[in-house]
Amino acid sequence: MSLIKFLTSKVFFKHLALAVVAIVVLCYLILKWLNISTNHNEFVVVPDLKGKSLENVEIELNDHDLAMEIQDSANYNPNYPKYSVIEQNPKAGSKVKENRKIYLILNPSGYRKVAVPNVLKRTIRQAKPQLEALEFQIGEITYKDAIGEGVISMSHKGKPLEPGTLLPLTSKIDLVIGNGKL
């Protein structure tokens, strides 16, 4: 029997029709199974978690059948309580599937500590921008009779301060500066 005769025979068309029906039925069953197993068109609305403590967040996410994952602690934000949520992903009001992980960024307990740069023997024009770039605040500036016109010493809350000392961001640093008169 030649190939052309087989391709035009009733047996070939019967088997071809059976194969097409089997594929259609199989696709239909797979799509129904996917709708059921993925909870098609069933969503959970993500609650607003900003400013809430970790204990409250855990309870609220469990009530909504959501999971949480703490991603990081960001820079300290004084507008939020310590260890509270300051950012979340996905955002509040988003529709997600149940058991979805909500990624949280927490507010640390305080500002991170940064090493004080060595600004000794530098002019106030050099020292001030260098300290402010590291987010330190310039406190009281005192001028003292000295040969040079640079920073003679630094202090924080009345205590002498050495370069390299770790201080929290936004700390006030008092400077004693030589006035060039001796």
Side-chain angles (χ1 to χ4, degrees), residues 28 40 85 173:
Y28 177 77
H40 189 65
V85 176
I173 297 177

Side-chain angles (χ1 to χ4, degrees), residues 34-100:
L34 278 173
N35 280 343
I36 294 168
S37 66
T38 62
N39 298 330
H40 189 65
N41 284 334
E42 292 180 26
F43 297 103
V44 176
V45 176
V46 178
D48 186 13
L49 304 172
K50 282 189 178 179
K52 295 183 180 177
S53 70
L54 207 49
E55 294 81 24
N56 293 341
V57 166
E58 192 169 4
I59 292 168
E60 193 162 346
L61 289 179
N62 285 337
D63 290 346
H64 287 86
D65 294 324
L66 297 170
M68 75 171 175
E69 186 164 317
I70 298 171
Q71 205 169 26
D72 193 8
S73 291
N75 291 331
Y76 180 69
N77 187 339
N79 299 330
Y80 289 95
K82 294 177 182 178
Y83 305 113
S84 66
V85 176
I86 59 174
E87 228 177 279
Q88 71 183 64
N89 186 17
K91 302 262 186 237
S94 301
K95 292 181 180 180
V96 297
K97 296 287 186 181
E98 64 183 19
N99 295 323
R100 165 79 188 263

Side-chain angles (χ1 to χ4, degrees), residues 112-127:
R112 65 183 169 92
K113 294 189 175 187
V114 177
V116 175
N118 186 2
V119 293
L120 297 176
K121 299 181 184 174
R122 296 207 176 141
T123 65
I124 186 67
R125 286 183 62 185
Q126 294 170 326

